[in-house]
Amino acid sequence: MNKEVYVRVFVRRMALFLGLFLLPHAICAQLMGVVKDKEGAPLAGAYICKLNPEKIVAVTNERGEFQSDEIKQMDRVMVSYVGYANDTVLVKALDKPLVIILSNDNQMSEVQVVGKSYGLRKDRVSVTNREVISEGELLRAACCNLGASFTTNPSVDVSYSDASTGAKQIKLLGLSGRYVQMLSESIPNYRGSAAPYSLGYIPGTWMQSIQVSKGSSSVKNGYEAVTGQINVEFKKPQEQEQVNANLYANHMGKVELNADGNLHLTDKLSTGLFAHCEKSTMAHDDNKDGFVDGPMVDQLSLQNRWAWMGKNYKSQLLIKGLFEDRESGQIADDFHAVGDLPYKIDIETQRYEAFSKNAVILNREKGMNVALIVSGSWHNQKGDYGCFDSEEYDRLFSASPLSSDELSRRGRFYHVKQQNLYSSLLFETKFDKQNSLSTGLSLNYDRFDQQYRLGDEPHLASVKEVDDESVVGAYAQYTYTLDERWVAMGGLRWDYSSVFGSFFTPRAHLKYTPNEVVSLRASVGKGYRYTHPLAENSHLLGSSRKIEIRDGETQEEAWNYGLSSSFSIPVVKKNLTLGLEYYYTRFSEQLVVDMDETPHSVVFHSLDGDSYSHTFQVDASYPFFRGFLLTGAYRLTDVKATYNGKLREQPFTNRYKALLTATYKTNLELWQFDLTFQYNGGGRLPLNYMEEDGTPSWKSHYSSYPILNAQITRLFRHWTVYVGAENLTNYKQSNPIVDAQNPWGDKFDTSLVYAPIEGIMGYVGLRYKWKKW
């Protein structure tokens, strides 16, 4: 099916979604407000905390605005901002915006407060170790999508998974992103077949904030978080009416256009519309190996959300559709390939998703409410790896003089349709100032309809498989607060899987805050996940490595332990923010992606031995003068697993990472300058082999390398112009593709990527923002 047909189908199905779901929905009364200093300047990143029990419910955006549906009439709310005196207010009404003015007459009288706000903050109120990336932090870089949102973040790494498809993966606590539970508006999302390319599915301009939680998380969202959670919050339609647009282009031919806006139809009903379009206009092959350095990606996505505010009932609705086509491989026909045909990769994706959140307030004084969340997604992905797609296989095979082995390498493919349905029924209440309870039931259903050809089946027969799993579960989570200093949270889940049977998920958190300066945390918990080898690793088909799946249906199981501390220390009349943390993850069951058994294969098998991760990180931030913030971080990582009976370092994992970021905004906020420097430690590469001349095919380890990014922003009343560059050090992996001139041979390998494969990339952008006052 060609692109034009896909686009027409995409538009028709989006219209069907809109017709089915764009109905009036209701949402409970929400408290809206703004936090400012004495001069009237908005304070971005201020924490809104509901007391009794202590719980963070909102973080102000770059305009100082916040909203929360968890705050009820007559609740007491504490507002905190680093360097300012906390303020506690009584919410007397919900129908009027709450204006809170914080004073810098702090108890630490020697500290002078800088009124500027910055976008990456430690959540000192949450019982879990959580970082909040606000909209202001996202604007410090081009931030084209979710994958580019962690450029300035010391905890999350983003890198290419291979040198051909453009698949990217994140790493948290030294482990692959598949052990991070991805959430959209606190709902599990982007699992299975969506995972390899999901970091490109969320445009940066759609996001209001990102919360990164490390270690064990709440059992409320399920059992899949092993190393943590990443939750994306989109812009809300019930916020101040506005229209935003962003135009981006880089010198490599990528162009993006984003637009979003919201409208208050009545004093209760509001809606928001989001649009994104990106196109790659030219191919680049700077290393002259015949393969494009990055895929040619065309993407179109639309999103619509609705909100209705009532008194005792709330509901939210979101609908999204996406069409993407990515092409890569050889860009010319004059290469020494079998049959003189170029090697090409084409991956077409259609994705539709929707969710609805509903809640009923039963008792405002006790915070008693019941909520129902329902979400669903349909993901259709067709990946063809070779010089033609799978529909031509039978015709070409019958007429081809090539051997079956030669032809099999010309047309691997993996086609998958994944359907997901998720539902959660929750009940929450607080018994008194110290005790609160959250409990609920959940249902998750996944179905994978797969058809694939890996190139080594007899007579080139394709394989059709259907994998499905239903999981019903129940959880209870209890929180105890003592003197607003000690907070203990314990949770237990029971789930029953149609594949694996019953299992329990215990998790516990403890936070101690003796004063305004120190906050200490400890956590322990268990996590599980159902593995889908091909769906989660389909990018590996773009290589000649033989794929062997020995253990497909595996339920991974791991314990995670964590200790963390954060400090806000007065130094020379300013606050030094310091963080220290250590995490240990140990697997008892794991599906190992083994590239060390032989240099020409990748084997999926169950763990037979040890597998663990140790991570230690220290980070510090200090505002040296008005408008200038410097942040530094250093992380040590020790990740090992058993490969072929031997405990070895996990390949493609940096032993350490050093990060230094600086941002400066002039006094009149007309200019902003941002600089980010990374120094990535070396690591191990998979097992190599010896060439005929006695030299190794590739080194056993790779060296450390630096990356430098910079951006300059000029701000106007409604317009913003920005220009920047990534990888100014111009460090590139010299030969990311092994034996690129012979893609049909046994040595062709695109999976050995450990560093950037593209050099300096310059970009320019234009933003527009209009608000209704």
Side-chain angles (χ1 to χ4, degrees), residues 76-151:
R76 297 185 68 82
V77 175
M78 181 181 72
V79 182
S80 63
Y81 187 78
V82 175
Y84 285 70
N86 292 348
D87 190 12
T88 301
V89 297
L90 179 66
V91 179
K92 296 181 179 180
L94 299 177
D95 56 350
K96 294 181 180 180
L98 186 65
V99 179
I100 301 172
I101 307 298
L102 292 187
S103 170
N104 58 4
D105 298 330
N106 203 315
Q107 296 175 356
M108 300 176 290
S109 58
E110 297 299 320
V111 178
Q112 291 184 357
V113 177
V114 177
K116 298 291 180 182
S117 58
Y118 305 99
L120 176 61
R121 296 192 174 276
K122 298 278 188 179
D123 190 340
R124 298 193 70 224
V125 177
S126 172
V127 67
T128 60
N129 183 14
R130 182 166 62 182
E131 297 175 354
V132 179
I133 305 173
S134 72
E135 188 176 356
E137 183 74 8
L138 296 175
L139 297 179
R140 291 184 58 192
C143 192
C144 298
N145 51 47
L146 179 61
S149 302
F150 304 105
T151 302

Side-chain angles (χ1 to χ4, degrees), residues 722-759:
Y722 59 95
V723 59
E726 298 179 359
N727 196 14
L728 284 167
T729 54
N730 201 34
Y731 183 89
K732 296 181 291 184
Q733 187 173 338
S734 57
N735 295 299
I737 300 179
V738 177
D739 201 20
Q741 298 303 315
N742 185 24
W744 313 111
D746 292 334
K747 298 179 181 180
F748 175 65
D749 199 342
T750 64
S751 62
L752 302 172
V753 174
Y754 59 84
I757 57 179
E758 297 175 318

Side-chain angles (χ1 to χ4, degrees), residues 415-619:
H415 295 179
V416 58
K417 292 182 181 178
Q418 180 184 353
Q419 302 169 65
N420 171 261
L421 176 64
Y422 171 82
S423 181
S424 179
L425 179 66
L426 304 92
F427 172 79
E428 294 184 335
T429 187
K430 58 181 181 181
F431 303 110
D432 50 40
K433 295 181 180 181
Q434 295 179 322
N435 302 276
S436 63
L437 176 69
S438 175
T439 186
L441 305 172
S442 65
L443 167 67
N444 187 80
Y445 174 74
D446 282 303
R447 177 185 172 94
F448 293 80
D449 290 276
Q450 305 173 97
Q451 183 177 6
Y452 57 87
R453 179 178 282 111
L454 303 182
D456 48 12
E457 288 80 17
H459 308 296
L460 304 179
S462 64
V463 177
K464 291 185 178 181
E465 291 182 350
V466 176
D467 294 332
D468 60 353
E469 181 194 30
S470 299
V471 181
V472 294
Y475 82 91
Q477 182 171 276
Y478 168 75
T479 304
Y480 177 75
T481 305
L482 178 63
D483 297 331
E484 298 182 2
R485 294 185 178 184
W486 290 93
V487 180
M489 183 176 76
L492 179 66
R493 285 192 66 92
W494 169 85
D495 291 275
Y496 180 81
S497 164
S498 60
V499 178
F500 302 105
S502 308
F503 54 96
F504 290 90
T505 308
R507 292 175 184 172
H509 299 265
L510 180 66
K511 187 189 77 164
Y512 176 54
T513 310
N515 50 50
E516 293 282 335
V517 176
V518 181
S519 182
L520 307 174
R521 291 177 176 84
S523 65
V524 60
K526 205 172 189 181
Y528 300 85
R529 62 181 302 274
Y530 182 12
T531 61
H532 300 278
L534 288 180
E536 298 169 348
N537 300 276
S538 58
H539 60 277
L540 292 175
L541 273 72
S543 172
S544 68
R545 281 183 178 263
K546 180 181 178 181
I547 296 177
E548 182 180 352
I549 304 175
R550 293 178 185 166
D551 303 293
E553 291 187 351
T554 300
Q555 187 181 46
E556 296 184 304
E557 179 180 341
W559 282 93
N560 180 276
Y561 310 85
L563 295 171
S564 64
S565 58
S566 59
F567 306 86
S568 182
I569 307 170
V571 177
V572 193
K573 299 183 179 181
K574 297 180 178 68
N575 286 337
L576 169 67
T577 302
L578 178 66
L580 297 168
E581 60 186 41
Y582 166 75
Y583 284 92
Y584 172 58
T585 307
R586 189 173 192 88
F587 288 88
S588 55
E589 299 289 341
Q590 186 180 26
L591 182 69
V592 178
V593 184
D594 192 346
M595 301 174 68
D596 286 291
E597 186 163 306
T598 71
H600 305 299
S601 68
V602 53
V603 181
F604 296 89
H605 62 78
S606 296
L607 176 68
D608 184 15
D610 292 330
S611 178
Y612 60 81
S613 167
H614 294 278
T615 304
F616 172 78
Q617 178 175 306
V618 56
D619 56 80

